[in-house]
Amino acid sequence: MRQRKRPLKFLALATVVGLVALLAGYGAWFPSAQEPAYVFVDAWGEPGTGPGQFRDPTGIAVTDNEVFVSDARNARIQVFDHDGRFLRQFGAPGEGLGQLGRPMNLTISNDELYVADYWNDRIQVFSLEGKPLRTIGRSGQGPGELNAPGGVAVATNGDLYVVDFYNQRIQHLDPEGRFIEQWGTTGEVGIWAGEFNYPTDVALATDGTLYVADGYNDRVQVISAQGKFLHKWGGPFAMNIFGPFKGWFATTTSIAFGPQGSVFVSDFYNHRVQKFAPDGTFLSAFGEEGTGPGQFNYAIAAAVAPDGSVFVVDFGNHRIQKWRPHDSE
Amino acid sequence: MKKMFFKMMGVLGIWVLLSPFAMAAGVQYQVRVDGLACPYCAYGIEKQFKQIYGVEKIDIDLEKGIVFVDAADDVELSEDRVKTLINDSGFTYRSITREPR
C-alpha cells in the first residue's frame, strides 16, 4: 500500500509545483502594460530617391530639433525637422570618405553623427551638418575589425561600442578604433547569456551599462559598466523564443533610451516598438502591422527626442512615424 | 539551287533560334531564399554576391524571397557555392535558376 501511495503523493506535489510555476510564469511571461499607450502624431515619406523619399530607411537619431535618417539603398543620410520637413542630405554610394554602403543604425554623441556603414565595415563619423570627419574600423574578423556593423554607442570619453553583426560580437574600441575588449565569440552564434545571434544595435546608459539588441535571439542583453553580464529579457528564459506577446520579440533591430532612462526596442517582425524599464519590466507597446496611420510594415528603428516624442522608422512603408506619450500634448 | 536554299534557311533558322542568347548581355540568376524580410541579412547576401568577380547587379525582392543576380556570361555560380553563401549570410537556401538576360 505504501508503495502505491508514494507515486500519488509525488504526482500531487508535481501538479501543485507545476501549477505554481505556470502561474508565476504567466505573470512573468505575459505581462500587462504598466503605462498608457503612445499616440500616433504624424508620418512622412514615400518610396523614391528624391528629398523626403526613401529606399529602405533603416536607422534614426534625433536631436532636440532635428531627425537624422539612414536611407540605406539611397546610400545617404536625410535630415528633417521634428515635423518632417526636409532640411538637407549627405552621403553617396561608394567606399570613400563621406560615401556610404547601406547605412544602418545611427547615434549622435558630442554633436557628431556616428553611422554604422554596413557594407564598408566601418563606423563613419559626420558633423551634424554632414561633413565627413573620420572612419573607424576595417573589414575582417580580428580585433578592431568589423564584418557588417549594425549599430554603435559612444561613451563620454569617446570610446565606441560597435555591434559587429556577422562576427556575432560587440566590440569596445577606443576613439581611434583600437581594440579594448569584446563580448561574444567571434563568428559563433550562441543563445546563452553573453552570447549573440546576429546582434543589431547597442545603447549606452548614463552609468555605462550597455544594452544590446540581440537580434535573432529575440532579446535584449544587459552588460555592466565593468563588462559583466547582468540580465536579459524577451520571451521565456530570453533565449531565442520569439512570439507576439507583450514583452516578447520577433527580432530586435534597434535599441534606444528615452529621457527618463526607459528602453525602447524595435520589434521588427511584430511591427511595433516596445518600452521597458531598465530592469526589463514591460511598460507599453505601440504599433501593429499595416500601411495606415500608426501601423508599421516592419518597425526597424526608433529614437526618442528630449521631449519624449518617439520617431520610428517604418521600413517596409518607406516612411518615418512620430508618436507622443499619452499624457503629453 | 534547292539545296542552297535549304542550307540558307537552315542557317537562318539556327540564327533565329540562338539570337536571344547571342544578344543577351549576360545572365540572371534567381535564388530563392527563406526569411528574407530582414534587411540586415538581405544586405549581407548582397554584400557577399557583389564580391564575386563578374557580378554586375543584385536586386532583392524581400516579399517574395528572391535574390536576382545579374552577371557576365562567363560567370558560373554553382548551386553549392550559392548555397554556402546564403547559409553563411544566415539564411536557408531553397533553389536557383539561371536564365539569359
Side-chain angles (χ1 to χ4, degrees):
Chain A
M1 286 295 280
R2 284 177 72 87
Q3 276 179 338
R4 285 175 65 97
K5 269 185 184 173
R6 267 189 183 163
L8 278 177
K9 260 189 181 174
F10 175 76
L11 194 65
L13 187 66
T15 306
V16 170
V17 169
L19 279 172
V20 169
L22 196 66
L23 287 171
Y26 189 85
W29 295 338
F30 302 98
S32 54
Q34 306 288 308
E35 286 185 357
Y38 275 61
V39 179
F40 171 76
V41 178
D42 200 4
W44 72 86
E46 59 185 6
T49 58
Q53 297 179 320
F54 302 102
R55 287 198 309 152
D56 288 9
T58 51
I60 194 163
V62 295
T63 65
D64 55 1
N65 59 358
E66 292 185 334
V67 181
F68 294 73
V69 181
S70 286
D71 187 8
R73 267 186 205 282
N74 286 329
R76 65 184 175 182
I77 307 297
Q78 293 198 64
V79 188
F80 304 87
D81 70 13
H82 279 203
D83 295 318
R85 281 183 284 266
F86 174 82
L87 299 176
R88 61 188 178 278
Q89 65 179 40
F90 48 91
E95 298 172 359
L97 185 67
Q99 296 180 319
L100 297 164
R102 301 287 187 268
M104 302 303 280
N105 280 305
L106 303 175
T107 297
I108 292 172
S109 177
N110 203 23
D111 287 335
E112 291 179 338
L113 180 73
Y114 289 74
V115 182
D117 196 356
Y118 196 80
W119 272 4
N120 292 328
D121 298 323
R122 65 188 181 186
I123 301 300
Q124 187 156 194
V125 187
F126 293 86
S127 73
L128 295 188
E129 289 307 309
K131 183 184 172 195
L133 300 174
R134 60 189 179 277
T135 64
I136 297 149
R138 61 186 179 280
S139 299
Q141 292 188 310
E145 296 177 335
L146 303 170
N147 187 358
V152 58
V154 184
T156 49
N157 68 353
D159 280 4
L160 287 83
Y161 296 84
V162 183
V163 173
D164 197 0
F165 183 81
Y166 275 110
N167 282 334
Q168 313 291 351
R169 65 184 176 181
I170 313 301
Q171 289 199 69
H172 178 188
L173 309 175
D174 77 5
E176 281 73 47
R178 285 184 290 261
F179 177 83
I180 295 172
E181 61 188 322
Q182 75 172 54
W183 297 272
T185 306
T186 305
E188 286 185 23
V189 166
I191 63 167
W192 304 106
E195 299 177 334
F196 299 99
N197 186 357
Y198 299 101
T200 52
D201 197 19
V202 69
L204 198 62
T206 49
D207 66 357
T209 307
L210 198 64
Y211 289 71
V212 182
D214 189 6
Y216 278 75
N217 271 336
D218 309 301
R219 67 183 179 185
V220 170
Q221 290 204 71
V222 184
I223 296 162
S224 75
Q226 292 72 41
K228 303 292 178 198
F229 168 81
L230 288 178
H231 60 104
K232 54 189 166 71
W233 75 81
F237 313 109
M239 48 187 298
N240 199 4
I241 300 172
F242 66 91
F245 311 108
K246 291 168 183 169
W248 296 41
F249 302 109
T251 306
T252 54
T253 46
S254 93
I255 190 162
F257 289 110
Q260 311 299 324
S262 302
V263 183
F264 291 76
V265 184
S266 298
D267 189 5
F268 186 79
Y269 286 105
N270 282 331
H271 310 281
R272 66 183 176 187
V273 173
Q274 297 200 67
K275 181 183 179 185
F276 299 87
D279 66 357
T281 302
F282 173 75
L283 297 178
S284 65
F286 56 90
E288 59 181 11
E289 184 175 8
T291 57
Q295 295 180 319
F296 297 113
N297 186 9
Y298 303 115
I300 194 171
V304 191
D307 69 356
S309 300
V310 183
F311 294 87
V312 186
V313 179
D314 187 1
F315 174 77
N317 289 327
H318 303 275
R319 65 184 179 182
I320 307 302
Q321 292 194 33
K322 182 180 180 181
W323 293 68
R324 66 170 171 80
H326 185 267
D327 52 359
S328 69
E329 290 184 10
Chain B
M1 192 64 184
K2 233 180 186 180
K3 262 188 179 176
M4 188 69 156
F5 174 77
F6 283 120
K7 262 187 186 172
M8 281 176 67
M9 290 309 286
V11 169
L12 188 66
I14 291 167
W15 181 81
V16 167
L17 280 172
L18 294 180
S19 59
F21 298 98
M23 287 162 67
V27 293
Q28 183 178 70
Y29 291 89
Q30 293 189 19
V31 186
R32 289 195 171 274
V33 180
D34 280 351
L36 253 181
C38 170
Y40 283 88
C41 292
Y43 298 163
I45 287 179
E46 286 185 69
K47 188 180 174 188
Q48 298 255 17
F49 273 112
K50 81 186 180 81
Q51 287 167 355
I52 297 173
Y53 180 79
V55 167
E56 296 160 357
K57 188 181 163 201
I58 308 130
D59 279 321
I60 293 189
D61 186 330
L62 291 176
E63 298 296 325
K64 291 177 182 167
I66 304 174
V67 182
F68 300 92
V69 183
D70 289 356
D73 274 323
D74 57 347
V75 173
E76 193 64 48
L77 296 178
S78 70
E79 185 171 20
D80 281 348
R81 186 179 186 186
V82 172
K83 204 180 218 174
T84 303
L85 188 153
I86 297 295
N87 291 340
D88 286 351
S89 302
F91 284 98
T92 306
Y93 166 86
R94 284 292 164 219
S95 65
I96 186 169
T97 58
R98 183 184 194 271
E99 288 176 5
R101 270 189 282 158

mmCIF file of all heavy atoms in Angstrom, chain A residues 50-84:
data_model
loop_
_atom_site.group_PDB
_atom_site.id
_atom_site.type_symbol
_atom_site.label_atom_id
_atom_site.label_comp_id
_atom_site.label_asym_id
_atom_site.label_seq_id
_atom_site.Cartn_x
_atom_site.Cartn_y
_atom_site.Cartn_z
ATOM 1 N N GLY A 50 14.087 61.044 -54.266
ATOM 2 C CA GLY A 50 14.119 62.487 -54.064
ATOM 3 C C GLY A 50 14.191 62.862 -52.596
ATOM 4 O O GLY A 50 14.130 62.002 -51.715
ATOM 5 N N PRO A 51 14.287 64.159 -52.313
ATOM 6 C CA PRO A 51 14.284 64.611 -50.917
ATOM 7 C C PRO A 51 12.974 64.204 -50.225
ATOM 8 O O PRO A 51 11.894 64.388 -50.784
ATOM 9 C CB PRO A 51 14.385 66.136 -51.044
ATOM 10 C CG PRO A 51 14.981 66.371 -52.391
ATOM 11 C CD PRO A 51 14.478 65.266 -53.260
ATOM 12 N N GLY A 52 13.110 63.651 -49.045
ATOM 13 C CA GLY A 52 11.923 63.221 -48.306
ATOM 14 C C GLY A 52 11.376 61.878 -48.744
ATOM 15 O O GLY A 52 10.385 61.397 -48.195
ATOM 16 N N GLN A 53 12.033 61.264 -49.732
ATOM 17 C CA GLN A 53 11.643 59.912 -50.153
ATOM 18 C C GLN A 53 12.715 58.931 -49.689
ATOM 19 O O GLN A 53 13.867 59.321 -49.454
ATOM 20 C CB GLN A 53 11.506 59.848 -51.675
ATOM 21 C CG GLN A 53 10.406 60.750 -52.219
ATOM 22 C CD GLN A 53 10.301 60.678 -53.732
ATOM 23 O OE1 GLN A 53 11.310 60.627 -54.430
ATOM 24 N NE2 GLN A 53 9.083 60.693 -54.231
ATOM 25 N N PHE A 54 12.333 57.677 -49.563
ATOM 26 C CA PHE A 54 13.270 56.673 -49.036
ATOM 27 C C PHE A 54 13.274 55.407 -49.883
ATOM 28 O O PHE A 54 12.255 55.042 -50.474
ATOM 29 C CB PHE A 54 12.871 56.281 -47.609
ATOM 30 C CG PHE A 54 12.817 57.424 -46.635
ATOM 31 C CD1 PHE A 54 11.601 57.972 -46.258
ATOM 32 C CD2 PHE A 54 13.973 57.966 -46.099
ATOM 33 C CE1 PHE A 54 11.533 59.035 -45.362
ATOM 34 C CE2 PHE A 54 13.924 59.026 -45.197
ATOM 35 C CZ PHE A 54 12.694 59.558 -44.834
ATOM 36 N N ARG A 55 14.419 54.766 -49.893
ATOM 37 C CA ARG A 55 14.514 53.378 -50.360
ATOM 38 C C ARG A 55 15.186 52.606 -49.237
ATOM 39 O O ARG A 55 16.375 52.700 -49.041
ATOM 40 C CB ARG A 55 15.334 53.277 -51.650
ATOM 41 C CG ARG A 55 14.587 53.812 -52.871
ATOM 42 C CD ARG A 55 15.200 53.328 -54.166
ATOM 43 N NE ARG A 55 16.641 53.563 -54.204
ATOM 44 C CZ ARG A 55 17.500 52.829 -54.892
ATOM 45 N NH1 ARG A 55 17.071 51.820 -55.607
ATOM 46 N NH2 ARG A 55 18.772 53.119 -54.879
ATOM 47 N N ASP A 56 14.410 51.924 -48.450
ATOM 48 C CA ASP A 56 14.875 51.184 -47.279
ATOM 49 C C ASP A 56 15.416 52.105 -46.187
ATOM 50 O O ASP A 56 16.635 52.120 -45.906
ATOM 51 C CB ASP A 56 15.960 50.172 -47.647
ATOM 52 C CG ASP A 56 15.438 48.978 -48.406
ATOM 53 O OD1 ASP A 56 14.258 49.004 -48.808
ATOM 54 O OD2 ASP A 56 16.218 48.032 -48.609
ATOM 55 N N PRO A 57 14.576 52.851 -45.511
ATOM 56 C CA PRO A 57 15.076 53.554 -44.319
ATOM 57 C C PRO A 57 15.378 52.528 -43.223
ATOM 58 O O PRO A 57 14.597 51.593 -43.025
ATOM 59 C CB PRO A 57 13.917 54.465 -43.935
ATOM 60 C CG PRO A 57 12.695 53.786 -44.473
ATOM 61 C CD PRO A 57 13.131 53.078 -45.722
ATOM 62 N N THR A 58 16.512 52.668 -42.543
ATOM 63 C CA THR A 58 16.933 51.618 -41.615
ATOM 64 C C THR A 58 17.345 52.106 -40.225
ATOM 65 O O THR A 58 17.376 51.314 -39.290
ATOM 66 C CB THR A 58 18.141 50.851 -42.188
ATOM 67 O OG1 THR A 58 19.120 51.820 -42.584
ATOM 68 C CG2 THR A 58 17.753 49.990 -43.380
ATOM 69 N N GLY A 59 17.710 53.377 -40.094
ATOM 70 C CA GLY A 59 18.200 53.844 -38.798
ATOM 71 C C GLY A 59 17.758 55.266 -38.532
ATOM 72 O O GLY A 59 17.369 55.992 -39.465
ATOM 73 N N ILE A 60 17.838 55.690 -37.256
ATOM 74 C CA ILE A 60 17.357 57.031 -36.919
ATOM 75 C C ILE A 60 18.058 57.532 -35.657
ATOM 76 O O ILE A 60 18.427 56.748 -34.780
ATOM 77 C CB ILE A 60 15.813 57.000 -36.736
ATOM 78 C CG1 ILE A 60 15.230 58.407 -36.733
ATOM 79 C CG2 ILE A 60 15.412 56.225 -35.502
ATOM 80 C CD1 ILE A 60 13.721 58.427 -36.974
ATOM 81 N N ALA A 61 18.259 58.848 -35.615
ATOM 82 C CA ALA A 61 18.774 59.504 -34.408
ATOM 83 C C ALA A 61 18.156 60.888 -34.373
ATOM 84 O O ALA A 61 17.838 61.468 -35.425
ATOM 85 C CB ALA A 61 20.296 59.593 -34.453
ATOM 86 N N VAL A 62 17.967 61.421 -33.174
ATOM 87 C CA VAL A 62 17.332 62.737 -33.070
ATOM 88 C C VAL A 62 18.124 63.655 -32.140
ATOM 89 O O VAL A 62 18.790 63.202 -31.204
ATOM 90 C CB VAL A 62 15.870 62.647 -32.561
ATOM 91 C CG1 VAL A 62 14.994 61.918 -33.539
ATOM 92 C CG2 VAL A 62 15.807 62.014 -31.193
ATOM 93 N N THR A 63 18.042 64.945 -32.432
ATOM 94 C CA THR A 63 18.490 65.980 -31.501
ATOM 95 C C THR A 63 17.222 66.680 -31.006
ATOM 96 O O THR A 63 16.111 66.231 -31.309
ATOM 97 C CB THR A 63 19.414 66.995 -32.200
ATOM 98 O OG1 THR A 63 18.654 67.688 -33.203
ATOM 99 C CG2 THR A 63 20.602 66.301 -32.845
ATOM 100 N N ASP A 64 17.394 67.803 -30.309
ATOM 101 C CA ASP A 64 16.185 68.472 -29.815
ATOM 102 C C ASP A 64 15.396 69.159 -30.920
ATOM 103 O O ASP A 64 14.271 69.586 -30.703
ATOM 104 C CB ASP A 64 16.530 69.455 -28.689
ATOM 105 C CG ASP A 64 17.583 70.456 -29.119
ATOM 106 O OD1 ASP A 64 18.031 70.394 -30.279
ATOM 107 O OD2 ASP A 64 17.962 71.303 -28.290
ATOM 108 N N ASN A 65 15.973 69.283 -32.122
ATOM 109 C CA ASN A 65 15.187 69.894 -33.196
ATOM 110 C C ASN A 65 15.355 69.226 -34.569
ATOM 111 O O ASN A 65 14.751 69.676 -35.537
ATOM 112 C CB ASN A 65 15.507 71.394 -33.315
ATOM 113 C CG ASN A 65 16.976 71.648 -33.599
ATOM 114 O OD1 ASN A 65 17.770 70.703 -33.669
ATOM 115 N ND2 ASN A 65 17.345 72.895 -33.760
ATOM 116 N N GLU A 66 16.150 68.187 -34.673
ATOM 117 C CA GLU A 66 16.346 67.538 -35.974
ATOM 118 C C GLU A 66 16.248 66.012 -35.873
ATOM 119 O O GLU A 66 16.532 65.425 -34.821
ATOM 120 C CB GLU A 66 17.701 67.927 -36.577
ATOM 121 C CG GLU A 66 17.759 69.407 -36.971
ATOM 122 C CD GLU A 66 19.051 69.783 -37.693
ATOM 123 O OE1 GLU A 66 20.090 69.117 -37.482
ATOM 124 O OE2 GLU A 66 19.005 70.750 -38.470
ATOM 125 N N VAL A 67 15.875 65.411 -37.019
ATOM 126 C CA VAL A 67 15.767 63.956 -37.121
ATOM 127 C C VAL A 67 16.682 63.492 -38.252
ATOM 128 O O VAL A 67 16.571 63.981 -39.380
ATOM 129 C CB VAL A 67 14.310 63.537 -37.436
ATOM 130 C CG1 VAL A 67 14.193 62.023 -37.530
ATOM 131 C CG2 VAL A 67 13.346 64.078 -36.392
ATOM 132 N N PHE A 68 17.594 62.576 -37.952
ATOM 133 C CA PHE A 68 18.531 62.033 -38.938
ATOM 134 C C PHE A 68 18.088 60.619 -39.296
ATOM 135 O O PHE A 68 17.845 59.804 -38.404
ATOM 136 C CB PHE A 68 19.952 61.997 -38.372
ATOM 137 C CG PHE A 68 20.532 63.358 -38.098
ATOM 138 C CD1 PHE A 68 20.083 64.125 -37.027
ATOM 139 C CD2 PHE A 68 21.518 63.880 -38.911
ATOM 140 C CE1 PHE A 68 20.613 65.391 -36.775
ATOM 141 C CE2 PHE A 68 22.061 65.139 -38.676
ATOM 142 C CZ PHE A 68 21.604 65.903 -37.604
ATOM 143 N N VAL A 69 18.001 60.340 -40.600
ATOM 144 C CA VAL A 69 17.505 59.028 -41.038
ATOM 145 C C VAL A 69 18.501 58.377 -42.001
ATOM 146 O O VAL A 69 18.935 59.003 -42.972
ATOM 147 C CB VAL A 69 16.132 59.155 -41.742
ATOM 148 C CG1 VAL A 69 15.617 57.778 -42.162
ATOM 149 C CG2 VAL A 69 15.116 59.843 -40.832
ATOM 150 N N SER A 70 18.829 57.118 -41.743
ATOM 151 C CA SER A 70 19.623 56.328 -42.702
ATOM 152 C C SER A 70 18.713 55.891 -43.837
ATOM 153 O O SER A 70 17.726 55.188 -43.608
ATOM 154 C CB SER A 70 20.178 55.064 -42.036
ATOM 155 O OG SER A 70 21.220 55.349 -41.180
ATOM 156 N N ASP A 71 19.039 56.294 -45.037
ATOM 157 C CA ASP A 71 18.253 55.932 -46.224
ATOM 158 C C ASP A 71 19.114 54.927 -46.987
ATOM 159 O O ASP A 71 19.848 55.274 -47.915
ATOM 160 C CB ASP A 71 17.995 57.225 -47.015
ATOM 161 C CG ASP A 71 17.058 57.032 -48.189
ATOM 162 O OD1 ASP A 71 16.477 55.940 -48.311
ATOM 163 O OD2 ASP A 71 16.911 57.987 -48.972
ATOM 164 N N ALA A 72 19.011 53.647 -46.600
ATOM 165 C CA ALA A 72 20.045 52.657 -46.927
ATOM 166 C C ALA A 72 20.310 52.477 -48.416
ATOM 167 O O ALA A 72 21.440 52.595 -48.877
ATOM 168 C CB ALA A 72 19.705 51.320 -46.274
ATOM 169 N N ARG A 73 19.273 52.181 -49.191
ATOM 170 C CA ARG A 73 19.512 51.915 -50.618
ATOM 171 C C ARG A 73 19.851 53.174 -51.400
ATOM 172 O O ARG A 73 20.430 53.099 -52.479
ATOM 173 C CB ARG A 73 18.286 51.245 -51.235
ATOM 174 C CG ARG A 73 18.404 49.760 -51.205
ATOM 175 C CD ARG A 73 17.312 49.049 -51.925
ATOM 176 N NE ARG A 73 17.188 47.730 -51.353
ATOM 177 C CZ ARG A 73 18.017 46.730 -51.626
ATOM 178 N NH1 ARG A 73 18.979 46.881 -52.495
ATOM 179 N NH2 ARG A 73 17.871 45.570 -51.021
ATOM 180 N N ASN A 74 19.496 54.330 -50.867
ATOM 181 C CA ASN A 74 19.924 55.583 -51.489
ATOM 182 C C ASN A 74 21.297 56.019 -50.986
ATOM 183 O O ASN A 74 21.798 57.070 -51.413
ATOM 184 C CB ASN A 74 18.892 56.690 -51.238
ATOM 185 C CG ASN A 74 17.633 56.505 -52.081
ATOM 186 O OD1 ASN A 74 17.700 55.981 -53.191
ATOM 187 N ND2 ASN A 74 16.503 56.941 -51.565
ATOM 188 N N ALA A 75 21.869 55.246 -50.080
ATOM 189 C CA ALA A 75 23.231 55.494 -49.565
ATOM 190 C C ALA A 75 23.408 56.937 -49.086
ATOM 191 O O ALA A 75 24.353 57.619 -49.462
ATOM 192 C CB ALA A 75 24.269 55.149 -50.632
ATOM 193 N N ARG A 76 22.470 57.384 -48.285
ATOM 194 C CA ARG A 76 22.562 58.760 -47.804
ATOM 195 C C ARG A 76 21.904 58.887 -46.427
ATOM 196 O O ARG A 76 21.178 57.999 -45.977
ATOM 197 C CB ARG A 76 21.857 59.711 -48.784
ATOM 198 C CG ARG A 76 20.370 59.481 -48.868
ATOM 199 C CD ARG A 76 19.699 60.363 -49.904
ATOM 200 N NE ARG A 76 18.278 60.016 -50.013
ATOM 201 C CZ ARG A 76 17.448 60.580 -50.859
ATOM 202 N NH1 ARG A 76 17.857 61.520 -51.700
ATOM 203 N NH2 ARG A 76 16.165 60.219 -50.892
ATOM 204 N N ILE A 77 22.182 60.017 -45.799
ATOM 205 C CA ILE A 77 21.506 60.391 -44.566
ATOM 206 C C ILE A 77 20.612 61.581 -44.900
ATOM 207 O O ILE A 77 21.075 62.550 -45.518
ATOM 208 C CB ILE A 77 22.518 60.806 -43.473
ATOM 209 C CG1 ILE A 77 23.580 59.715 -43.269
ATOM 210 C CG2 ILE A 77 21.792 61.145 -42.175
ATOM 211 C CD1 ILE A 77 23.067 58.388 -42.769
ATOM 212 N N GLN A 78 19.368 61.500 -44.531
ATOM 213 C CA GLN A 78 18.469 62.643 -44.721
ATOM 214 C C GLN A 78 18.150 63.256 -43.356
ATOM 215 O O GLN A 78 18.009 62.542 -42.355
ATOM 216 C CB GLN A 78 17.171 62.212 -45.396
ATOM 217 C CG GLN A 78 17.352 61.737 -46.830
ATOM 218 C CD GLN A 78 16.021 61.735 -47.577
ATOM 219 O OE1 GLN A 78 15.399 62.764 -47.790
ATOM 220 N NE2 GLN A 78 15.596 60.551 -47.988
ATOM 221 N N VAL A 79 18.028 64.590 -43.352
ATOM 222 C CA VAL A 79 17.776 65.309 -42.106
ATOM 223 C C VAL A 79 16.464 66.088 -42.226
ATOM 224 O O VAL A 79 16.214 66.747 -43.248
ATOM 225 C CB VAL A 79 18.934 66.279 -41.778
ATOM 226 C CG1 VAL A 79 18.748 66.872 -40.380
ATOM 227 C CG2 VAL A 79 20.287 65.569 -41.880
ATOM 228 N N PHE A 80 15.657 65.987 -41.188
ATOM 229 C CA PHE A 80 14.339 66.644 -41.163
ATOM 230 C C PHE A 80 14.178 67.399 -39.854
ATOM 231 O O PHE A 80 14.907 67.142 -38.883
ATOM 232 C CB PHE A 80 13.221 65.583 -41.242
ATOM 233 C CG PHE A 80 13.315 64.679 -42.426
ATOM 234 C CD1 PHE A 80 14.083 63.513 -42.378
ATOM 235 C CD2 PHE A 80 12.662 64.988 -43.609
ATOM 236 C CE1 PHE A 80 14.182 62.667 -43.471
ATOM 237 C CE2 PHE A 80 12.753 64.148 -44.711
ATOM 238 C CZ PHE A 80 13.515 62.993 -44.644
ATOM 239 N N ASP A 81 13.201 68.317 -39.830
ATOM 240 C CA ASP A 81 12.844 68.865 -38.524
ATOM 241 C C ASP A 81 11.851 67.908 -37.859
ATOM 242 O O ASP A 81 11.484 66.879 -38.448
ATOM 243 C CB ASP A 81 12.327 70.310 -38.646
ATOM 244 C CG ASP A 81 10.958 70.398 -39.324
ATOM 245 O OD1 ASP A 81 10.285 69.357 -39.478
ATOM 246 O OD2 ASP A 81 10.578 71.515 -39.707
ATOM 247 N N HIS A 82 11.419 68.239 -36.666
ATOM 248 C CA HIS A 82 10.570 67.298 -35.927
ATOM 249 C C HIS A 82 9.164 67.162 -36.517
ATOM 250 O O HIS A 82 8.397 66.301 -36.094
ATOM 251 C CB HIS A 82 10.487 67.720 -34.449
ATOM 252 C CG HIS A 82 11.677 67.277 -33.658
ATOM 253 N ND1 HIS A 82 11.654 67.112 -32.285
ATOM 254 C CD2 HIS A 82 12.939 66.961 -34.036
ATOM 255 C CE1 HIS A 82 12.853 66.716 -31.869
ATOM 256 N NE2 HIS A 82 13.652 66.622 -32.911
ATOM 257 N N ASP A 83 8.837 68.024 -37.484
ATOM 258 C CA ASP A 83 7.540 67.901 -38.150
ATOM 259 C C ASP A 83 7.667 67.241 -39.522
ATOM 260 O O ASP A 83 6.712 67.239 -40.300
ATOM 261 C CB ASP A 83 6.895 69.288 -38.300
ATOM 262 C CG ASP A 83 6.563 69.881 -36.938
ATOM 263 O OD1 ASP A 83 6.065 69.125 -36.073
ATOM 264 O OD2 ASP A 83 6.824 71.073 -36.726
ATOM 265 N N GLY A 84 8.852 66.760 -39.837
ATOM 266 C CA GLY A 84 9.038 66.017 -41.081
ATOM 267 C C GLY A 84 9.425 66.864 -42.274
ATOM 268 O O GLY A 84 9.444 66.361 -43.395
#
